[in-house]
Amino acid sequence: MAKRPKVLMVEYVIGKVRDEFIAAADKNGMDIEFSRWEQLLIDTSATDPSEVLKMNGKKISEYDLIYVRTIKSRYYEMAMLATYATHFGVRVVDKCLSDGNRITDAKIFQITHAALNGVGVPRTVYGTDTALVDKADLFGSWPLVFKVMGLHRGQGVFLVKSKDEIRKLMDQFMADKESKNFILQEVID
């Protein structure tokens, strides 16, 4: 039997959301653990390089994938974690940087990076302006989730039931100069 990939999710996740991540990981044949930034330990006196940085008291090299849900004010810790993990061949999915570089449009990067690393994600289509309206036909059914790029924590997320609703939302956000980049996603039950 093949070894189940081991995923570390960094940031505090509780309740129903945590249960959903556990269920999704199990459904996709993965084991998942959770950690907070406070559980990051850097000890440069370690003689084994794989022991220098640990989360939850475990070596980063024990994981196959690290998913950082949010970095808030932890930019330096995130840069360190990403650099260290990639050095040991551990894939990192993060919102705001990749291999130490700032990522300007976090949602689409995170979704794309997750898909490239074999993590199941809802079918997602990215677009700007009117091109996205026509791409709604690719899904073949309604409703769809419409997300405004650049907004966070549930802001700019809508359930849409027609191309007219998509167009109206796009016009609204482009007029307010809040964003001109959007994604559509399939609805997951």
Side-chain angles (χ1 to χ4, degrees), residues 100-147:
N101 297 314
R102 300 284 303 167
I103 300 298
T104 58
D105 216 319
K107 286 179 190 169
I108 194 62
F109 168 78
Q110 191 172 18
I111 291 164
T112 304
H113 203 59
L116 288 173
N117 286 291
V119 176
V121 295
R123 183 170 186 190
T124 303
V125 175
Y126 170 83
T128 58
D129 201 18
T130 57
L132 188 65
V133 176
D134 294 331
K135 291 178 182 179
D137 293 331
L138 296 172
F139 290 92
S141 66
W142 298 90
L144 298 172
V145 177
F146 174 89
K147 294 183 178 180

Side-chain angles (χ1 to χ4, degrees), residues 71-86:
I71 65 167
K72 296 183 184 171
S73 62
R74 303 290 187 153
Y75 179 80
Y76 295 110
E77 290 94 332
M78 181 58 228
M80 219 171 341
L81 178 62
T83 301
Y84 190 82
T86 54

Side-chain angles (χ1 to χ4, degrees), residues 24 31-32 56 64 79 134 138 147 151 176:
D31 292 323
I32 190 167
N56 294 339
D64 299 293
D134 294 331
L138 296 172
K147 294 183 178 180
L151 300 180
D176 293 343

Side-chain angles (χ1 to χ4, degrees), residues 52-181:
V52 171
L53 192 145
K54 294 181 178 180
M55 294 293 280
N56 294 339
K58 294 182 181 177
K59 296 188 286 187
I60 295 301
S61 59
E62 293 181 21
Y63 299 97
D64 299 293
L65 177 91
I66 299 173
Y67 171 47
V68 180
R69 187 147 161 89
T70 181
I71 65 167
K72 296 183 184 171
S73 62
R74 303 290 187 153
Y75 179 80
Y76 295 110
E77 290 94 332
M78 181 58 228
M80 219 171 341
L81 178 62
T83 301
Y84 190 82
T86 54
H87 175 78
F88 285 99
V90 179
R91 294 176 174 167
V92 179
V93 177
D94 56 81
K95 285 183 137 184
C96 294
L97 53 96
S98 172
D99 301 325
N101 297 314
R102 300 284 303 167
I103 300 298
T104 58
D105 216 319
K107 286 179 190 169
I108 194 62
F109 168 78
Q110 191 172 18
I111 291 164
T112 304
H113 203 59
L116 288 173
N117 286 291
V119 176
V121 295
R123 183 170 186 190
T124 303
V125 175
Y126 170 83
T128 58
D129 201 18
T130 57
L132 188 65
V133 176
D134 294 331
K135 291 178 182 179
D137 293 331
L138 296 172
F139 290 92
S141 66
W142 298 90
L144 298 172
V145 177
F146 174 89
K147 294 183 178 180
V148 179
M149 306 300 288
L151 300 180
H152 305 286
R153 302 197 179 272
Q155 294 178 336
V157 178
F158 303 90
L159 192 64
V160 292
K161 298 177 183 165
S162 70
K163 287 182 177 184
D164 288 338
E165 288 183 31
I166 296 169
R167 179 80 256 161
K168 188 181 292 184
L169 287 167
M170 290 175 76
D171 288 345
Q172 172 190 334
F173 284 98
M174 287 190 298
D176 293 343
K177 306 263 191 271
E178 288 187 61
S179 181
K180 61 176 184 169
N181 301 294

